[in-house]
Amino acid sequence: MSFLTTRGLTAHYGDFQALFGVDIMLNEGETIAIIGANGAGKTTLMRSLSGVLRNSPEMITLDGRKIGAMSADEIVPLGLAMVPEGRRLFPSLSVEENLLIGAYGRKIEGYWNLEKIYRLFPILAERRSSPGTALSGGQQQMVAIGRALMSNPRVLLCDEISLGLAPVVIRDIYAAVPRIQESGASLIVVEQDIGQAMKVADRVYCMMEGRVTLEGTPQSLSRDDIHAAYFGVGA
Amino acid sequence: MIWVDTIVQGVLLGGLYALFAAGLSLVFGIMRLVNLAHGDFIVMAAYLILLLVTLLGLSPFVAAALAAPIMYLTGWLLQKHLLNRTLGTDILPPLLVTFGLSIALQNALLEGFSADSQRLPTGAISTASLDLGVINVGVLPLMTFGSAIVVIVGLNQLFYRTELGRAFRATSDDPTTASLMGIRPGDIFAKATAIAMLVVTLAALYLGMRSNFDPSIGPARLIYAFQAVIIGGLGSLWGTLAGGVIIGLAQTIGAAINPEWQILAGHVAFLVVLLVRPRGLFPRAVD
Ligand SMILES: Nc1ncnc2c1ncn2[C@@H]1O[C@H](COP(=O)(O)OP(=O)(O)O)[C@@H](O)[C@H]1O
Ligand SMILES: [Mg+2]
């Protein structure tokens, strides 16, 4: 059963149209990857889903509810959390405070709490009192993921969690993905770097210039298909 | 001994200025908003306390306790329904709106209470003093200073030890990302201004007990408050207390040399600090 769906999703920045009728769906417990070159519209799609960009109500449904026009603070309590592109930790908050603020205003117990996040990323426990922004890029990414998990989301959006990180660090970060999947959350993983995303995803969407150009399971898609959908040239 | 006395008086006067300034500092620290009507809200709160004192025959302290929730609500509504609409990348709209608010408030107070100067009845407390051997210290100035410390400690605790305080800091850093945490920035701003109005009420209580007030004195209180905030460093509450003390000291020392120099000396101290430390004494690390 489709859990999160977009239908004919469009998005604009002033006069500039960034999305042209995007249709994607995410099933409960599923992980999908959204890949595409820089500027394809992946972040715009994530910002629309999370409510940072507002749309018409019917363009996005979550668990049968029309959420397209809701603001981010209304959508988070419905069970959708985002790890934003560029991590965006709060500089005035320590590591632990950055994590705690992910659970702002919610007292409901769920799978994820501070202790579980520290078990997922033990290095964060050691750095808990440091300012979030004093950490290395990889550690900051861990904080950003942990912060989003603290709200115990049913859907977690990850926007380029490997951006700017060394391959070994990316491997460490992606090692956490199966444990997030086991906690029951559905995932949308956005990447320019296809390799890691294809490994964890059940299905893949490829975007180019504000449109979905290809979809399928990682096994069913050939390198040439992806290349064509990604760069828009006949491979 | 006269100098010790002058310095103690100056420090204590700084407590009053810190109370004027703490609310301004809080609001500025969270939403980069300078409320030009801040001083007029202090005067408005003083009239509210006076009204409760006269109508209900209460002591000023009890009246202030009753005025506090009214001012809290006023601040919340003001921020939620008016000032939030002015916030954005352009810094001019909030300045224009609060400037207009300042004029409107002054005129409303003038209409309601006339231009006569008023004072809150204090009874024995206004003349009571403590004999500390070398000097005599007024009880009221001491209470003012003590209240300023309590307010600053309290606001710091709120800021650094509570969930609301975390939300204040996060929203101040990055409102969009804060909304991804389920925080509603508009509500956070409304709470901040509401809390600032609690401090405004306390400032009004001491202002009204220590000196005469009339509808026109708000802008001068704003200037002292603003100078204290700038001297201390934008967004630092302890800095605001230090700023208040510096202005208080400069004014009393100036007045001790020549009574006409009181106000001028405060402004000169402000300019000197600005020259030496343009970002204030305790600027925030992240900005
Ligand atoms: N804030 C913005 N204002 C104007 N244009 C933007 C803004 N953000 C993104 N865009 C444009 O929208 C398009 C899609 O961008 P984005 O969604 O960030 O792509 P991606 O995440 O796939 O790299 C790009 O052409 C980009 O230049
Ligand atoms: Mg992007």
Side-chain angles (χ1 to χ4, degrees):
Chain A
M1 187 203 78
S2 174
F3 185 47
L4 179 67
T5 314
T6 68
R7 257 184 234 106
L9 179 68
T10 55
H12 301 260
Y13 295 104
D15 289 339
F16 178 78
Q17 184 162 6
L19 296 180
F20 300 82
V22 169
D23 298 305
I24 62 160
M25 64 147 186
L26 172 72
N27 296 310
E28 201 146 17
E30 193 184 27
T31 297
I32 63 174
I34 296 178
I35 59 175
N38 196 14
K42 307 179 298 296
T43 295
T44 305
L45 173 59
M46 292 304 107
R47 300 176 79 198
S48 301
L49 291 174
S50 60
V52 173
L53 292 175
R54 315 276 279 265
N55 306 81
S56 322
E58 71 287 349
M59 281 184 181
I60 307 170
T61 52
L62 176 65
D63 209 6
R65 231 170 133 155
K66 297 187 173 78
I67 64 161
M70 288 186 186
S71 59
D73 55 78
E74 292 169 318
I75 291 176
V76 178
L78 302 179
L80 186 146
M82 173 151 88
V83 184
E85 188 178 52
R87 326 191 228 287
R88 296 201 156 260
L89 300 189
F90 298 109
S92 313
L93 271 55
S94 68
V95 166
E96 184 151 310
E97 288 177 321
N98 265 286
L99 294 174
L100 287 171
I101 200 127
Y104 177 79
R106 278 173 298 275
K107 302 283 172 270
I108 314 155
E109 291 295 315
Y111 178 83
W112 294 105
N113 53 33
L114 213 47
E115 200 183 313
K116 291 254 181 50
I117 303 291
Y118 286 148
R119 223 176 293 154
L120 185 66
F121 300 121
I123 183 71
L124 299 187
E126 289 169 34
R127 310 287 317 260
R128 57 173 27 148
S129 329
S130 313
T133 40
L135 272 54
S136 72
Q139 292 166 357
Q140 287 194 30
Q141 192 63 70
M142 292 171 189
V143 177
I145 294 170
R147 183 178 66 177
L149 287 174
M150 284 292 283
S151 69
N152 278 300
R154 296 195 289 166
V155 183
L156 181 70
L157 314 182
C158 297
D159 195 351
E160 301 219 33
I161 50 176
S162 65
L163 193 69
L165 301 180
V168 280
V169 182
I170 296 175
R171 218 184 43 213
D172 282 355
I173 303 261
Y174 267 89
V177 169
R179 299 183 37 204
I180 299 171
Q181 291 168 324
E182 282 159 27
S183 78
S186 314
L187 259 75
I188 301 186
V189 179
V190 167
E191 285 293 354
Q192 286 184 55
D193 169 9
I194 304 172
Q196 291 292 346
M198 296 286 259
K199 271 184 225 156
V200 296
D202 301 308
R203 285 184 305 116
V204 182
Y205 291 90
C206 187
M207 287 183 71
M208 192 178 65
E209 291 171 359
R211 294 181 173 84
V212 172
T213 45
L214 183 71
E215 66 173 284
T217 59
Q219 300 77 24
S220 72
L221 300 178
S222 73
R223 284 186 71 88
D224 290 347
D225 291 340
I226 293 173
H227 195 268
Y230 202 106
F231 296 108
V233 287
Chain B
M1 278 314 112
I2 177 88
W3 281 107
V4 178
D5 186 57
T6 305
I7 285 168
V8 171
Q9 302 305 337
V11 170
L12 294 184
L13 180 62
L16 182 65
Y17 294 160
L19 278 180
F20 290 164
L24 200 69
S25 180
L26 178 77
V27 166
F28 186 85
I30 294 172
M31 60 192 107
R32 300 288 180 276
L33 173 102
V34 176
N35 183 354
L36 293 180
H38 185 77
D40 304 293
F41 278 106
I42 297 176
V43 179
M44 175 184 137
Y47 276 107
L48 181 59
I49 295 170
L50 181 68
L51 201 66
L52 292 168
V53 165
T54 353
L55 287 182
L56 306 176
L58 303 168
S59 96
F61 293 96
V62 179
L66 285 183
I70 301 173
M71 291 301 293
Y72 182 93
L73 193 66
T74 307
W76 198 92
L77 292 171
L78 173 77
Q79 185 67 45
K80 179 87 180 168
H81 295 292
L82 182 65
L83 298 184
N84 276 348
R85 294 162 190 259
T86 69
L87 293 177
T89 45
D90 188 356
I91 59 161
L92 205 53
L95 288 177
L96 287 176
V97 167
T98 55
F99 183 67
L101 205 58
S102 162
I103 294 171
L105 265 179
Q106 285 175 50
N107 282 290
L109 291 173
L110 195 61
E111 196 65 34
F113 298 94
S114 86
D116 297 346
S117 79
Q118 305 280 356
R119 198 177 185 124
L120 293 175
T122 46
I125 199 173
S126 62
T127 50
S129 67
L130 285 180
D131 187 355
L132 299 182
V134 275
I135 47 163
N136 260 330
V137 184
V139 167
L140 207 47
L142 261 185
M143 284 176 64
T144 314
F145 193 80
S147 299
I149 304 258
V150 169
V151 162
I152 300 224
V153 168
L155 289 179
N156 266 307
Q157 291 290 318
L158 174 75
F159 225 59
Y160 294 104
R161 299 268 177 273
T162 67
E163 186 177 49
L164 181 61
R166 275 202 295 276
F168 279 158
R169 284 179 286 145
T171 310
S172 163
D173 282 346
D174 181 349
T176 304
T177 306
S179 73
L180 285 172
M181 309 293 121
I183 293 169
R184 196 166 293 199
D187 285 1
I188 289 297
F189 293 157
K191 278 185 194 157
T193 301
I195 291 168
M197 286 299 183
L198 293 180
V199 184
V200 158
T201 314
L202 197 60
L205 172 69
Y206 288 113
L207 170 76
M209 289 196 303
R210 293 176 58 157
S211 60
N212 291 334
F213 58 92
D214 65 68
S216 71
I217 67 160
R221 305 315 108 174
L222 171 75
I223 299 272
Y224 299 153
F226 198 59
Q227 290 180 341
V229 173
I230 303 274
I231 289 180
L234 296 171
S236 159
L237 288 163
W238 284 111
T240 298
L241 178 66
V245 166
I246 286 173
I247 294 180
L249 268 176
Q251 286 192 357
T252 6
I253 293 171
I257 298 168
N258 179 338
E260 286 180 4
W261 290 358
Q262 179 183 355
I263 306 298
L264 179 67
H267 296 323
V268 168
F270 169 68
L271 289 175
V272 168
V273 172
L274 261 197
L275 274 178
V276 182
R277 311 252 337 210
R279 301 191 59 212
L281 298 177
F282 307 99
R284 266 216 304 218
V286 275
D287 243 324

